[in-house]
Amino acid sequence: MAYALYRGTRLGLALQEALGELEEYEQISPSVKSAVLRKFDETMCDKLENEVESRLTIRAERLWSFRFCDSVWQLLLKNVEFLSNTGHLVASVEGKVKIVACDARKLDDKR
């Protein structure tokens, strides 16, 4: 069991839209659509855990709000900079950024 967290990314939304169209034209069944989305969730979690070695530092002007519920952190930050592990600016976002972080140990318990 994986978190369905990455379905809200551009890639996840595009996949859902494509699967929705295939389902609408009866080229796949709802069960196939669900299976593909479950596999997407598992694969995203696995690849990010095992194949991404980069680390980012997040620096924000303000912590707008935070919440911790059911082992999930939700942070809403304002005017955010993402820095590489060498200190170089990777991205800068004016306005609000929402970060959702899940406890990987809870995910391992479900497997």
Side-chain angles (χ1 to χ4, degrees):
M1 176 84 184
Y3 291 112
L5 186 60
Y6 301 105
R7 292 184 190 185
T9 63
R10 287 183 184 175
L11 181 61
L13 292 172
L15 176 62
Q16 289 180 80
E17 183 178 339
L19 291 171
E21 288 179 14
L22 289 171
E23 183 182 21
E24 182 180 329
Y25 294 114
E26 298 178 355
Q27 294 180 346
I28 62 171
S29 66
S31 62
V32 170
K33 178 182 175 183
S34 296
V36 170
L37 288 172
R38 273 194 311 275
K39 187 63 175 176
F40 173 76
D41 297 335
E42 292 172 12
T43 303
M44 285 296 292
C45 288
D46 181 60
K47 295 297 181 185
L48 289 172
E49 180 181 353
N50 297 317
E51 296 186 19
V52 176
E53 296 180 10
S54 299
R55 302 280 184 232
L56 287 176
T57 299
I58 301 169
R59 188 168 50 194
E61 179 181 299
R62 181 174 180 187
L63 174 61
W64 198 265
S65 70
F66 65 94
R67 179 178 10 183
F68 181 72
C69 181
D70 295 332
S71 299
V72 177
W73 278 101
Q74 292 185 17
L75 307 169
L76 190 57
L77 307 169
K78 182 178 177 187
N79 299 335
V80 181
E81 291 181 336
F82 296 91
L83 306 167
S84 69
N85 56 356
T86 59
H88 293 92
L89 183 66
V90 175
S92 180
V93 178
E94 294 293 322
K96 294 179 183 175
V97 172
K98 182 178 183 180
I99 296 176
V100 179
C102 303
D103 189 347
R105 293 172 294 197
K106 296 284 184 183
L107 184 58
D108 289 338
D109 293 344
K110 292 179 182 180
R111 288 184 183 173

